[in-house]
Amino acid sequence: MKMIHLTIDDKSIIAPEGTNIFQAALDNNIYIPGLCYHPKLSQFGGCRLCYVEVTERKHTRHRFACAHPVSEGMVVKVNTTEVNRHRKTVMEYLLAHHELACPTCNKSGECGLQNIAHELNMSPGRFKTVRMSAPVIRDNPVLELNRNRCILCGRCVSACKEIEGVGAIDFQNRGFKTVIGTAFDRPLDCSFCGGCLAVCPTGAWQDRTLGFSGRPWEFESIPTICPYCSVGCTIVLNTKEGSVRRVVSNDKLGINEGNLCVKGRFGHEFIHSPERIKTPLIKKDGEFQPARWEDAIEMVSDKLKQIMEKHGGNVIGGIGSEKCTNEENYLFQKFCRTVLGTNCIDNISNMKAPFLNGLLYKSVERGFFTDSLKGIENANTLFFFGVDITEAIPVVGCMARKAIQLNSANVVIANPRNIIFKNTAKNDVRLTYSLGSQHILLNAIIKVIIEDKLVDLKKIESSTSNFSSLCSSVQNVSLSNAEQLSGVSLEMIRSAAKLLTKPGNCCIVYGKDVIEDPLGEDTIKTLLDLCALIDVSNHSDIHPGRASIFCSRYHNNSQGVNDMGVVPEFLPGYVDINDAANKEKIEKLWGIKFSGNIVSKNSFNLIDLAKNGNVKSLYVMGADPLTEYPNGNEIRECIKNIEFIVVQDSFMTETAKLADVVFPSSTFAEKEGTYTNTGFTTQRLNRAISPVGNAKTDWEIICDIAKKMGQSFSYREIKEITEEIKKAAPVYSGFSYDRLRRKEFHWPSLLLDKIGSNKYTFFAIRDKSLKVKGEKEFPLVLITGASMNHQGAYSAKSKALVSVAPECFVEINDKDAKDMQIKNGDMVMVESRQGKLKMRSKVTRKSPSGIVFVPDAYVNIPINMLIYQEYTPVKIYTVLDN
Amino acid sequence: MEKNNQHIKFVVGLGSCGIAAGAKELYEELASKMGNNCNASLSHTSCNGMCFKEPIMEVFYPDGNYLMLGNVHKKDVDKILEPLLSQGAIDEKFIIENSRQPDKKEEFRQKQHKIVLENCGIIDPDDIEPYIENGGYEAVKKVLNTMPPQQVIDEIKTSGLRGRGGAGFPTGLKWQFVRNNTGEKKYMICNADEGDPGAFMDRAVLEGDPHKVIEGLIIGGYAIGAEHGYVYVRAEYPLAIKRLKSAIKQATEKNLLGHNILNSGFSFHLKIKEGAGAFVCGEETALIASIEGDRGHPRLKPPFPAASGLWGYPTNINNVETLASIPWIIKNGAETYASYGTEKSKGTKVFSLAGKIARGGLIEVDMGVPLRDIIYTIGGGTSSGKPFKAVQLGGPSGGCVPENLLDTPVDYESISATGAIMGSGGMVVMDEDTCVVDVAKFFLTFTQNESCGKCTFCRIGTKRLLEILEKITEGRGGMADLEELEELSGKVKDLSLCGLGKTAPNPIMTTLKYFRDEYVEHIKENKCRAGVCKELIKFSVIEGSCTGCHLCYKNCPVDAITGEAKKIHHIDQKICIKCGMCYEVCKFDAILKG
C-alpha cells in the first residue's frame, strides 16, 4: 500500500493512500472535532463539524476532514480562526433546539456534543427557537431513544445496518422533521446488541439497565472478557462502590472492535443477583444448611479421603468447567489426577463430542488456524456449515459482515434450518439440507470441485500425499443421489462449490449441527479435506489466499477446558496420557507419582461409569450436566446413586440441588485468569470487584481442599498457575500472563514453524447418509441450538435479558403448525419418550417441515431432559396457558 | 403524417396538461359522436407545448388542409363537428392555425427550434410505428452498425452537449469517465425525477416521445459499456410511466431493446424505478440509494457514481432531456448540433413557462436567446397585463431574475452570473402582485420540507432561514435579520453536503440582491407592496363605493363582515383572516387592500 506523507497541525504523519484526513488524524492522536464520523462505519458526512484548512497542490482551501482523502505533501490546519468560527456556527445550529438537559442526562460527562460545546466555549446562540420536547421512546427493556437529544449523525443507523446487519432503525421524515425511528414507529424489534448505544455521540440512546446508578466520571472501568459465548469479546465493566453498574465496549481492545451482543452488553445483572449462593451449603436431611468455609472444606476432605481409602481414587469422577478460567481448570485436573488419584475426569463438551479435540489439534497442525477469529475479517469467502452464527456467536457475524463490506466476501451457508444471517453479500448461497445428509452434501461439493476442475488439481496432487484416494472416494458419490437425499439442488451445490473455490481467503466455520450429528466426526474430517483442497490450491505467490476452519464451541472457555486437559485422554496441551514419557515429564513437574492404574485402557464415559455404579463420588466445578448434557433424565438417575457429590457454582443449578456440599464460587467479574476462545485466542480477565458475599474463586476453593487433604497447592496468585501451565502444556509454552495485558495470545501461531513440509493426507471418507424421521406416535424431530438472548444460569439471572426474551419457545414450521392447528404464541407441550416440557410456540419458516427447534439455552426449560438420542422424535400439542 | 388519404383525421392532444384541461372528455365525446363515420378517424398525441390552449385538437384533411383548434371542450363538439367534417366555417375563437389562413400563425410557435421536442405533440406516443416512421431508432442502428463506442463518445463531445438536469456538465466527458472505469457491470440511468415546482419538461418528453429517451439510453449504454439501465421516474407521473412501460415493451418486441439488439451482439436491459416523491432523489447519489432500496440520502463524493455507483458498479446518470438530444445528434451530426447555441452552451434547451405568463407551456429555443424573447415574444408577457416583476429560473435551487436583466441570454454561464441557475428549465414568471419575500419563503419552505435531513446546514440552516423569512413576512423582522439572512445563506450555500443544500439559499440571495428595498419595506414600514403577506395587509371597506350589495357578507368564511343590505358594510379586523375573498368578489371595488 502506498504511504502518503502529510502534516497536520505541524505534526508530520504518514497515512496509507485513500485514508481520509479525519482517520489519519485519529490514527496519530490528533484531535479533530466531529460527531458523525466513526472509524467502524462508512463515511456519512452529515454533521459538518470536521471542517479544516487544507493546503494541497499550492491551493489553500477548506475541506471536511472525513470526506477528503490525504494527498502527498498536504498541510492540514485544525485550529485556525476561520475554522473555529465555522465550528461554532455548526454547534450553534445543533444546540439551537437541542434539549439542554445535561443535569438529567445519563450521557453527561461522556457526551460528544457536550465536550465540543465546552471546548469551543459556546455561549447561548443567536437563535431563539423552541427546544424540542418530543416524548422519550421507551418501548423495549434495554434501550431508550430520546429524539430531543439526537443530532442525526446517523451513526446508530449505520451501526445497525452495517455491523449488526439488522437495519431496525432508519431516518424518518424529511427536512427539519427528520428523526431516527423504526418502521411505522413500531416498538424496536432487533437483536438488542446495543451497537446504536455504543456509537451514539449524544444522550439520544440510553442504556436502561444503568438507570441513574452512576455518573460516567464516578465509574472505574475494568476491561475483561465476556462470560457468555465462545467468541471472547472484551467488555468493559463500569463499577462503583464495589458493584458492577453497566457494561460498555471499547473499540480498541480485544478482538471484537467494540461490537457486542445483547448478552455481553446487557447481561451483567447476574453478578449481583440475590439468587447468588453466598455461603457454603451442606445438605443435612435433604435440606441445605449454610456452613462456615472451614467446616465445609473439612467435611469434603474427610469424605473424599474415606471414599479413596475404601474404593481407591478411581471411583471419584470430576467434571471440569467450560465457564471457569484456564487456571482453574488446570488446577482442577491436577487436583483430580494428583490429590484424588483419578483420571475419571471430563468436561461436557468433550463428553458430547469426544473426537473433536483430536480433529481440532490436527487442523491446527495442518495450519488451518493461522489467524485468530479476527481473520474472518480478511475472508473473501465465508462458509458457515451447521452453525447458526447469529444466535450462537453473534459477534463473529459482525466480523463476517465486515469482510463482506470490505472485501465483498461471498457467503455460503449450509444448515438444516433456514437460519438468519443478514448481510449485504453480492453472492449469498443457502444450502438447506435434510437432517442426516450433511456428509453426502459435503462430498458432493468436493466432487463438483474436482470434476469441474475448480481448483488446481495438479498442484493438489503434488502437494498432498493421497489425492487419488480422495478422487476415488468421491467418484462413487452420485450427485443425483446427493441432490435427492439432501434436498439441495445440484445447481445450488455447483454455485456453492464455485464460490468456495474463488481465489482469496476462505473461512469455514462449523458448529453444533455438524458436531452433534451421528456423522459428525466423518463430516468434520471431510470438511478438513475440503479445507485442504482450497488451501493448497489457493495458496500461491500470486494469490496468497488461505483456507481456515473454525469450530464454534458453546461456552466462553469450552476451548480452554480442553486445552487444560480436563479430559481423560490428554494431559494439559493435548499430551497423550498413555505415553510413558509424557507421563513421566508431568510427574516430574508436579512432583508426584501417578497411581499405577490411573489410565484405563478403554476409553470411557463418565456417565456410563456412573450408570454401572463405578462412580462413588462426583466433584463438579462450574458445570451443570443435568441440563447441559443430553439425556438429562438418565443422568439424574445415575447421579442420584452417587454417594457423595460436591458442586462449586455461583447459582443453585439442577446438579447443585443434588449435591451434598455446595461451594459458592465467584463469577468472572470477581476474578483473574484467562479464557481461550473458540479461535484459540487466550485473553486475560481482570478483577473488577471483590467476591460477592462469602464466595471464593474456584481455584482458591480447590487449593483449600487440596491443602486440607495434605497436598501443597500453595498458589498465591494466578500468575504462579500460568507459569506452571507454561511448563506443563507445550502449546502454551509461549504464554505470558503479563504480556496478556497488552496483547492476546494465540497458541496455534506458535506452531506455525512446525507446520512443515509433510504433505496433507486426505481422510477420503466414503459418503454416508442417515434417514432421520419421526415415529408414528412422535412424528416430529427435535433439534436444539444456541440462543442469542440466553445462555445458562447467568442470563437467566439477568433481569434485562429475561425481559428481552422472557420465555423459551419451540419453533414449528408453519405448515406443520397448520396441520396441528397450532397458532403462533400458543402454549404447547413438547413431549418425547423421556418426558415433556411446556413452552410457547413460534410458528416460522426457519425450521423446515418435520423438524422442531428448541433453544437449549433457557435453564428453566431444560430441553436436554427430553433428548435420549441424536434427533429425538417428539410430539407437540396445545395445552392451557399457565 | 397522415398516410391514409381517404380520411379526415382528428388528433387530440392527450398529455397530462390536456387531460387536466378536459381533453380526455373531448376525445371520448368525439369518439362517440363520430360513431362509425368512415370518413373520419380519431387518434391522439401528446402535448405540443401550448398548454395555455389546451385542450387542443388538430384536423388533417385528405386534401392536405390542416387545422389546429384550441380550448375545445366537450360541450363544443356539437357545434364544431359538423363544420369540421364538411370543411365549413368554424368559430374563430377556436382556431389557432389554419392552413388556409397562412398569416394566422401562433406567435408562441415562432422563435422556437425543436430538437428534443421534435415529435412531441405530433406522433402517437403509445405506438412505436410513427416514431420509427419519423426516423426513430435510426440513430441506434447507425451506432450499432457503424460506430465504435469511443467514436460515439467523441461525437457527443464534439456536439458540446451539456447535462440538461441543471449542472451543465459536459455529457461526452461524463460518458468518457464511465467508459474508462472498469467493472463487472455498468449501469446507465435516466434521471426523470423532475421535482421543481413549475417544471414539466421531462414529463412532457416522456409522455410525448418516450422512445427518444429509450433510444438515448441505448446509445449511452453502448458508448459506456453498460448493459443494464434504469429510468428513475417519479411516481407522480403515472401517464409518463404508463407510456414508458408500453414503449419499453414495444421496443423489446422489435428487438430494439433487450438481448442482442438487432443482432449486433450488444444487449441493453431497461427497467423502470418509480420514485416515491422525494425531491432530493433527483440528486444522483440519493437517486442511486433510492434504487438500491435505501432512503434517498446523498452521500459523499468521491467516489463519484462514474467510479462506484449503483450496487457499487460504475454508473452514468443523465437527465431525460440530455438523453432525448442524443439520437438527433447522432443522426444529424455533432457539428450541426454545435452550430446552434452559444460558444459554451450548444444546441437547444427546453423550458417550461409557468406562473403569471400569458402563454404558459413548453418551449424549446436555441441556447443564447435572450430571456426577454422568451417571456415577451413567446410567452406574451404577463397574464394579468400588469408589469412584469421577475422570473424565477431553476426552481427552488434557482433565483429571481429582475426586469432589468431580461436581456441576459439563456446559457449556463450568463444565467449563473445573475445568481440564478439554468436548472432543469423551469421558468416561473411573476408580476407586480407577487411579493418577492413571499416567493423566497415559498421556495425555502419547499427546500426545507424536501431536505433529506442529513447534513446540519441544510436541515437546520434552512429552517433558521425560513424562520427569519417568516418573521419578516409577519412584520416582526429587524434590519439585523437581513445581515443574518445573508450570512446564513452564505454558510448553507458553501457548506451543505449536496446540491440541494448548496442551492437552497439561491432564492433568498437573488431576491435580496435585486429586491432589497422590498425586504426593507417589510421591515421598516411593515408594508407588503404586493399585498401578499397577510400579517402586513388589512382589508377595509371604502365607504364611498360600498353599495351594500351584501356579496362580501355572504362570502366571508369567518363572518367578519357586518352590515345590512343596502347599507355600508364593515370588516371586523379582529376576526378577519385576510383571505381576500371580499376583495375578490366585490363588484364595485369597494374593498381596500393594503
Side-chain angles (χ1 to χ4, degrees), chain A residues 2 167 282 358-359 463 546-547 609 694 821:
Chain A
K2 201 180 154 198
I282 296 175
L359 287 176
S463 23
R546 296 305 304 241
L609 287 174
N694 274 331
Q821 296 183 322

Side-chain angles (χ1 to χ4, degrees), chain A residues 672-788:
Chain A
E672 287 193 28
T674 60
Y675 289 154
T676 302
N677 78 356
T678 203
F680 297 94
T681 302
T682 307
Q683 302 180 96
R684 184 175 162 159
L685 291 173
N686 292 305
R687 197 173 107 143
I689 52 171
S690 41
V692 170
N694 274 331
K696 281 191 181 184
T697 58
D698 289 283
W699 68 272
E700 284 172 323
I701 303 171
I702 291 168
C703 287
D704 287 350
I705 295 176
K707 272 187 239 163
K708 195 80 191 168
M709 291 178 79
Q711 300 285 335
S712 67
F713 269 53
S714 54
Y715 304 96
R716 278 158 306 171
E717 52 175 9
I718 289 291
K719 203 176 158 187
E720 290 177 18
I721 311 174
T722 58
E723 286 301 312
E724 194 176 312
I725 293 173
K726 238 166 109 168
K727 289 180 200 142
V731 295
Y732 277 77
S733 57
F735 173 59
S736 152
Y737 194 59
D738 290 334
R739 205 186 315 135
L740 282 181
R741 260 196 204 292
R742 300 192 306 275
K743 194 165 169 39
E744 56 270 21
F745 169 72
H746 183 240
W747 64 259
S749 312
L750 294 180
L751 302 184
L752 274 184
D753 327 336
K754 292 173 198 153
I755 302 162
S757 46
N758 58 334
K759 296 177 170 180
Y760 181 80
T761 312
F762 290 103
F763 291 99
I765 296 169
R766 286 281 298 273
D767 59 296
K768 296 175 186 167
S769 63
L770 298 170
K771 270 255 175 291
V772 180
K773 282 203 308 225
E775 295 166 7
K776 197 168 175 231
E777 202 190 332
F778 299 96
L780 300 162
V781 176
L782 171 69
I783 55 176
T784 64
S787 154
M788 184 165 40

Side-chain angles (χ1 to χ4, degrees), chain A residues 379-565:
Chain A
N380 301 87
T381 307
L382 297 155
F383 182 27
F384 300 146
F385 194 10
V387 55
D388 190 345
I389 294 278
T390 310
E391 297 286 343
I393 40 177
V395 174
V396 168
C398 304
M399 296 174 184
R401 273 183 285 271
K402 190 170 174 189
I404 291 165
Q405 205 173 15
L406 295 184
N407 324 328
S408 314
N410 300 306
V411 180
V412 180
I413 294 179
N415 204 290
R417 294 162 63 230
N418 301 308
I419 56 159
I420 293 169
F421 175 67
K422 290 187 184 167
N423 67 82
T424 54
K426 288 213 171 98
N427 297 303
D428 181 351
V429 173
R430 305 282 171 129
L431 315 171
T432 308
Y433 58 84
S434 325
L435 285 182
S437 69
Q438 53 179 12
H439 191 246
I440 191 165
L441 173 70
L442 205 52
N443 268 292
I445 292 176
I446 294 181
K447 178 168 177 138
V448 171
I449 291 177
I450 294 176
E451 276 190 353
D452 295 1
K453 300 194 175 56
L454 296 173
V455 288
D456 184 346
L457 298 183
K458 278 211 181 102
K459 198 174 160 203
I460 289 169
E461 187 154 16
S462 63
S463 23
T464 57
S465 65
N466 61 338
F467 183 50
S468 57
S469 50
L470 181 71
C471 292
S472 61
S473 111
V474 293
Q475 204 156 38
N476 298 310
V477 179
S478 150
L479 289 180
S480 59
N481 194 27
E483 187 174 11
Q484 204 186 354
L485 286 173
S486 65
V488 178
S489 73
L490 193 53
E491 193 192 339
M492 295 299 273
I493 294 176
R494 280 189 198 285
S495 52
K498 241 182 233 159
L499 289 182
L500 288 174
T501 47
K502 275 204 169 173
N505 295 321
C506 178
C507 266
I508 302 174
V509 184
Y510 62 94
K512 185 174 163 37
D513 296 320
V514 166
I515 300 165
E516 294 181 16
D517 185 271
L519 295 175
E521 185 172 357
D522 293 333
T523 313
I524 296 170
K525 283 177 177 166
T526 310
L527 210 45
L528 289 180
D529 284 355
L530 171 70
C531 195
L533 267 185
I534 302 168
D535 189 56
V536 171
S537 158
N538 279 12
H539 190 59
S540 69
D541 295 335
I542 317 156
H543 296 296
R546 296 305 304 241
S548 41
I549 184 162
F550 296 95
C551 164
S552 159
R553 297 245 195 196
Y554 195 66
H555 283 292
N556 55 337
N557 206 24
S558 293
Q559 186 58 46
V561 66
N562 290 296
D563 286 358
M564 290 302 121

Side-chain angles (χ1 to χ4, degrees), chain A residues 43-49 51 62 64 66-67 69 82 85-86 89-97 126-130 150-153 161 170-179 426, chain B residues 276-280 294-295 297-302 311-313 447-457 459-464 467-468 484 487-488 491-492 494-498 502:
Chain A
Q43 283 153 283
F44 188 72
C47 80
R48 311 263 108 188
L49 261 169
Y51 194 68
H62 286 95
F64 293 99
C66 72
E82 163 68 17
R85 193 165 54 229
H86 165 86
T89 314
V90 178
M91 287 301 289
E92 191 183 5
Y93 281 26
L94 289 176
L95 293 174
H97 53 279
R126 287 168 285 180
F127 310 113
K128 305 285 174 280
T129 53
V130 182
C150 178
I151 54 154
L152 294 169
C153 67
K161 216 175 281 178
D170 209 329
F171 292 86
Q172 291 180 351
N173 307 336
R174 291 201 282 261
F176 193 70
K177 296 189 195 102
T178 311
V179 289
K426 288 213 171 98
Chain B
F279 179 63
V280 72
D294 253 329
R295 179 181 164 92
H297 259 176
R299 62 160 173 74
L300 296 173
K301 294 190 265 189
W311 318 112
Y313 298 113
T447 38
Q448 162 56 218
N449 284 336
E450 291 296 335
S451 159
C452 75
K454 178 170 176 171
C455 75
T456 308
F457 282 99
R459 180 182 72 243
I460 304 173
T462 53
K463 173 79 178 168
R464 299 290 161 254
E467 281 171 355
I468 297 173
E484 208 157 280
E487 193 234 310
L488 280 177
K491 283 259 156 57
V492 174
D494 293 345
L495 301 165
S496 289
L497 176 72
C498 81
K502 282 184 197 299

Side-chain angles (χ1 to χ4, degrees), chain A residues 358-377:
Chain A
L359 287 176
L360 276 176
Y361 193 69
K362 186 177 165 66
S363 52
V364 170
E365 276 186 322
R366 283 307 316 162
F368 298 153
F369 269 107
T370 48
D371 215 339
S372 68
L373 272 184
K374 236 177 139 41
I376 290 175
E377 291 172 3

Side-chain angles (χ1 to χ4, degrees), chain B residues 382-398:
Chain B
T382 60
S383 52
S384 57
K386 290 183 179 171
F388 168 91
K389 188 175 205 171
V391 57
Q392 172 82 11
L393 296 182
S397 310

